[in-house]
Amino acid sequence: MFTLAGRTMIITGGAGNNGLAMINAALENGMNVAFLSGLHSKAQNAIAKLDPKYKDQVIGFAQNPQSRLKENLEAAPEIYNENSTMADVIRMIYERFGGIDVVVNAKGGHIRYNFEQTDQTIWRHSMEVVESAFVNTKLALPYLLKSKAPRVINITTCDGRNGGWYPDPSFAAARAGLEALTYEMAKELGPKGITSNCILIGPIEGDVPEEDMLSDEMRAQLLAKTPVGRLGVPQDVVGAFCFLASEEASFVNGARIDVNGGMIVG
């Protein structure tokens, strides 16, 4: 059993089924959870999918209130104002739960474009996953330093490792960038007692069903590249997450855990 009870986690990208699987595991093990989403309303919609018995353990905010300020003000005028910032959100999480122990950067979201289709706008959008992880971790750093077992977990796909299973240069570059950022964090934050690791997932069936529809042909191609003979499901990510978020993972730093059925060697 991992030591998770009483620990507080911030998570971006938690509204999909991968994120919800991790969040449910965290809550079941006694963790507190703070959703961060692009919109306050989206974070609240994700919370509504959880068992009401966890209502005192979970909160949700707009990750960057300013990016869609009008909508966030309309959704929660009692929380946000014209000057609300990401730093304010992180501070509110700390004040609510009395600590921040784990930062999970799992932001996703992308429509795939091949080399010819990709322009600078698409490129910059893809790179937001790296910027988000950097900013979230930096803003949480003063609070992580107060934790007895602080953790950063970056969750992305294995596309940066093998170029991906579908032509998409900006997606692959961004995922590789997040993996590289993890290693830099491990070197720089490790001496401060903060471990940084990454989980590289393969294709997960049912993460965001409305966005991840696979043709029979594409599914067959993915299965052929996956040595274990099946695609992933959201629950597959949970074990790696629970271990890396636990107090027991104190000597795991700069690690890459592949949760992709061996796709990168298939």
Side-chain angles (χ1 to χ4, degrees):
M1 177 65 71
F2 299 127
T3 304
L4 296 168
R7 292 167 65 71
T8 295
M9 171 179 80
I10 293 174
I11 182 169
T12 60
N17 289 332
N18 285 349
L20 288 172
M22 290 185 287
I23 288 163
N24 274 304
L27 294 171
E28 289 168 4
N29 282 281
M31 293 185 76
N32 303 311
V33 175
F35 277 94
L36 293 182
S37 182
L39 284 169
H40 183 86
S41 59
K42 188 174 181 181
Q44 298 307 310
N45 290 339
I47 291 173
K49 298 177 182 178
L50 301 172
D51 193 317
K53 70 182 180 181
Y54 297 123
K55 61 182 177 62
D56 293 332
Q57 292 173 242
V58 61
I59 55 176
F61 293 105
Q63 178 183 15
N64 179 8
Q66 292 292 326
S67 66
R68 298 177 71 171
L69 183 61
K70 181 179 178 181
E71 293 159 288
N72 290 321
L73 284 174
E74 290 175 352
E78 74 283 6
I79 295 177
Y80 309 107
N81 59 54
E82 296 287 342
N83 300 312
S84 294
T85 66
M86 294 176 68
D88 293 327
V89 169
I90 302 298
R91 175 182 50 78
M92 286 189 285
I93 295 168
Y94 177 80
E95 291 174 350
R96 170 64 178 80
F97 292 123
I100 295 174
D101 304 286
V102 183
V103 175
V104 179
N105 297 303
K107 177 180 170 64
H110 181 74
I111 299 173
R112 292 183 178 272
Y113 297 93
N114 64 26
F115 209 94
E116 292 182 353
Q117 294 168 326
T118 300
D119 59 20
Q120 287 181 309
T121 299
I122 293 168
W123 183 271
R124 285 192 291 268
H125 176 66
S126 294
M127 296 302 157
E128 288 176 3
V129 299
V130 184
E131 181 180 356
S132 173
F134 168 73
V135 173
N136 290 338
T137 306
K138 183 172 182 177
L139 291 176
L141 187 57
Y143 308 111
L144 288 171
L145 290 171
K146 298 179 182 182
S147 170
K148 68 175 183 178
R151 308 279 181 259
V152 176
I153 305 171
N154 295 325
I155 300 179
T156 188
T157 73
C158 57
D159 294 67
R161 175 76 32 183
N162 65 357
W165 56 272
Y166 187 89
D168 192 339
S170 66
F171 188 90
R175 272 56 191 173
L178 186 53
E179 184 180 347
L181 177 62
T182 304
Y183 303 145
E184 198 285 335
M185 287 177 170
K187 289 183 177 180
E188 188 169 349
L189 303 183
K192 302 178 186 294
I194 302 170
T195 65
S196 303
N197 298 286
C198 62
I199 300 173
L200 300 188
I201 61 174
I204 304 291
E205 292 190 290
D207 178 20
V208 187
E210 62 272 21
E211 297 178 9
D212 299 330
M213 299 296 292
L214 296 175
S215 67
D216 291 341
E217 180 183 6
M218 188 173 290
R219 190 174 190 279
Q221 290 175 356
L222 287 172
L223 284 171
K225 295 178 179 179
T226 307
V228 300
R230 69 170 177 87
L231 302 185
V233 295
Q235 196 63 27
D236 287 326
V237 187
V238 169
F241 155 73
C242 286
F243 170 59
L244 292 178
S246 72
E247 294 186 15
E248 284 75 14
S250 62
F251 204 56
V252 181
N253 187 39
R256 182 188 85 240
I257 297 182
D258 289 293
V259 182
N260 47 52
M263 174 174 273
I264 62 169
V265 297

